[in-house]
Amino acid sequence: MIQILSRIATRSPRRAISASNPCSSKLHRAEFSCWDPAYLGNSTVSPSCTMRSGDGNSDGQDTPLAEGKDHGCSPGVQSTPDIEKKYVHRVYDAIAPHFSSTRFAKWPKVAGFLNALRPGSVVLDAGCGNGKYLGFNPECFYIGCDISPPLIEICAGRGHEVLVADAVNLPYRENVADAAISIAVLHHLSTEDRRRKAIQELIRVVKRGGLVLITVWAVEQEDRSLLNKWTPLCDKYNEEWVDPSSPMVRNKSATMLDSIEETDEDTGAVKQMDDRLKNSFDGLEDKTLIMDEHDKTQQEYFVPWHLPFHRAEIGGASAAALQNGLAKKDDKKGTVVYNRYYHIFVEGELQRLVAGMKNAAIADQFYDKSNWCIVLEKL
């Protein structure tokens, strides 16, 4: 195990925050650094780019990480769109303790996947959240990463091997894991290129013959009433989503994102929001950009998270979020309401993202608990 962890190192000079339980004596741990602070948004990291390992460096000194190949994706794919920074990263940083307290049940399909792995397998959980799947099968070894430093701190406090990392730019060498899971992560990525790149990264880090399980929220929800509680977005809001031939739409829509109200259970607000969208496009020649539920399946949503007042008072994140408009108070429910960005998947969309990837084949695909799921095998 010591040798396995010491080989799982970054292949890039960028840095990531690593965290592990210093009290555990079972294993010597390897800590990884791979990204610069700007790439992680609000995170703070040390300026050095090192890997500290209890094996192979008995004096405990930091040793430089070997630089690997370029990640092979364009800066546009690696660069995090503002909508993800604001409505995914910052939100989960603010709600991390409360979110973690609600995430303890294991999905049977995920549990079955992990339990079917060979003893001794190294498993990567990319987007591990509070780490509920880390260590699930005690016969396997686990490493995890997530974009949220507060969630990674929770994982580290539970003794897991984790670090802060971006799903589209994983800081691991190729062929280091026997399996990887990405549970409810890809639907937080706002462009098709970023979703495809995240899948490519999962395939890259597993060994030949290794399996990758991916689950995403489905448009085809078992409880259709949930859709009325979510705020639908026009898929042309963010400039990363707009065709370069439509600069007027890009400029117009850039000012609209912050004006969307959180609907929660007020289904009437959804219609009001639709009317505001249509009014905003008055005068534009390209009327095809207007969201029309009869012409197109709606896939972009804000999904609310209600943080109880007593939870919000623990730290200053919610106060700042209320001040800058990232969150709103719901005095009736006694909560601070955050909006989380979701791109929910239609049937066959995961398969289309994988199409053309010559180093992976679909081993299984299924629908489970309002999620589309796929298992890939690396060729």
Side-chain angles (χ1 to χ4, degrees):
M1 179 60 186
I2 295 174
Q3 293 176 345
I4 292 173
L5 286 178
S6 65
R7 289 198 303 268
I8 304 174
T10 65
R11 60 192 185 100
S12 167
R14 290 182 174 178
R15 299 187 309 275
I17 299 174
S18 62
S20 60
N21 179 8
C23 299
S24 174
S25 60
K26 292 182 179 180
L27 298 171
H28 289 289
R29 288 176 167 78
E31 296 179 336
F32 313 101
S33 299
C34 69
W35 283 315
D36 61 295
Y39 191 80
L40 291 172
N42 296 332
S43 301
T44 303
V45 297
S46 62
S48 62
C49 179
T50 62
M51 177 182 73
R52 179 176 299 154
S53 172
D55 177 55
N57 189 12
S58 59
D59 59 1
Q61 296 298 313
D62 291 343
T63 56
L65 285 174
E67 294 188 13
K69 302 175 183 177
D70 180 71
H71 281 219
C73 63
S74 67
V77 176
Q78 287 185 331
S79 179
T80 305
D82 286 342
I83 192 170
E84 292 177 35
K85 292 178 182 177
K86 190 171 183 179
Y87 295 101
V88 181
H89 300 184
R90 295 179 189 173
V91 170
Y92 279 99
D93 287 351
I95 69 173
H98 184 233
F99 175 82
S100 177
S101 70
T102 68
R103 293 303 185 267
F104 49 86
K106 292 12 177 232
W107 292 0
K109 292 289 187 180
V110 180
F113 176 86
L114 294 174
N115 281 332
L117 297 175
R118 292 190 302 270
S121 294
V122 175
V123 184
L124 167 65
D125 187 348
C128 61
N130 69 344
K132 71 176 184 178
Y133 290 112
L134 297 176
F136 177 78
N137 179 351
E139 299 296 321
C140 297
F141 302 109
Y142 295 83
I143 52 176
C145 63
D146 199 278
I147 197 64
S148 172
L151 286 173
I152 287 300
E153 289 178 5
I154 291 172
C155 292
R158 297 173 176 176
H160 299 307
E161 299 293 337
V162 291
L163 55 79
V164 172
D166 194 320
V168 302
N169 193 13
L170 295 175
Y172 307 105
R173 298 188 187 278
E174 298 177 4
N175 309 313
V176 298
D178 298 289
I181 60 175
S182 173
I183 310 303
V185 175
L186 260 63
H187 51 227
H188 287 309
L189 302 179
S190 60
T191 70
E192 182 174 311
D193 285 343
R194 284 172 61 76
R195 293 188 284 270
R196 181 178 292 106
K197 179 59 180 174
I199 295 174
Q200 291 171 338
E201 283 290 271
L202 291 166
I203 296 170
R204 179 184 63 79
V205 300
V206 299
K207 301 172 183 177
R208 182 174 297 181
L211 299 176
V212 175
L213 170 63
I214 301 170
T215 75
V216 293
W217 283 18
V219 168
E220 300 82 358
Q221 290 288 303
E222 293 175 354
D223 182 359
R224 298 294 293 179
S225 67
L226 284 176
L227 297 176
N228 293 327
K229 300 179 182 180
W230 303 345
T231 305
L233 302 177
C234 173
D235 64 352
K236 304 298 178 184
Y237 268 119
N238 193 277
E239 84 175 47
E240 280 83 0
W241 303 348
V242 180
D243 186 275
S245 64
S246 308
M248 291 181 63
V249 177
R250 181 186 299 117
N251 293 338
K252 185 74 175 178
S253 64
T255 63
M256 295 166 58
L257 182 58
D258 293 338
S259 68
I260 300 176
E261 296 178 2
E262 195 278 317
T263 63
D264 190 30
E265 287 150 10
D266 183 3
T267 56
V270 175
K271 182 181 183 302
Q272 295 173 7
M273 197 276 296
D274 288 344
D275 293 338
R276 289 203 305 275
L277 284 177
K278 294 178 181 179
N279 293 335
S280 298
F281 281 99
D282 283 347
L284 293 179
E285 295 181 0
D286 189 357
K287 298 294 183 181
T288 62
L289 296 178
I290 300 175
M291 181 180 67
D292 188 337
E293 62 182 358
H294 299 294
D295 297 334
K296 171 181 180 179
T297 299
Q298 176 63 31
Q299 292 182 257
E300 316 297 327
Y301 286 92
F302 276 161
V303 178
W305 183 272
H306 292 262
L307 184 66
F309 282 159
H310 71 276
R311 288 276 192 174
E313 293 170 357
I314 294 176
S318 291
L322 289 168
Q323 186 175 9
N324 62 30
L326 181 61
K328 296 181 180 181
K329 275 189 176 182
D330 185 335
D331 291 318
K332 183 178 179 180
K333 293 185 176 181
T335 61
V336 175
V337 184
Y338 288 86
N339 277 317
R340 298 171 293 161
Y341 167 78
Y342 278 78
H343 168 89
I344 57 176
F345 282 62
V346 296
E347 183 177 5
E349 186 174 355
L350 273 176
Q351 290 84 341
R352 288 192 294 273
L353 286 175
V354 175
M357 296 184 188
K358 297 180 180 180
N359 61 342
I362 298 174
D364 195 8
Q365 50 194 321
F366 52 92
Y367 176 88
D368 181 53
K369 299 184 182 298
S370 298
N371 285 257
W372 289 116
C373 312
I374 194 169
V375 178
L376 305 175
E377 179 180 357
K378 183 170 182 176
L379 302 177

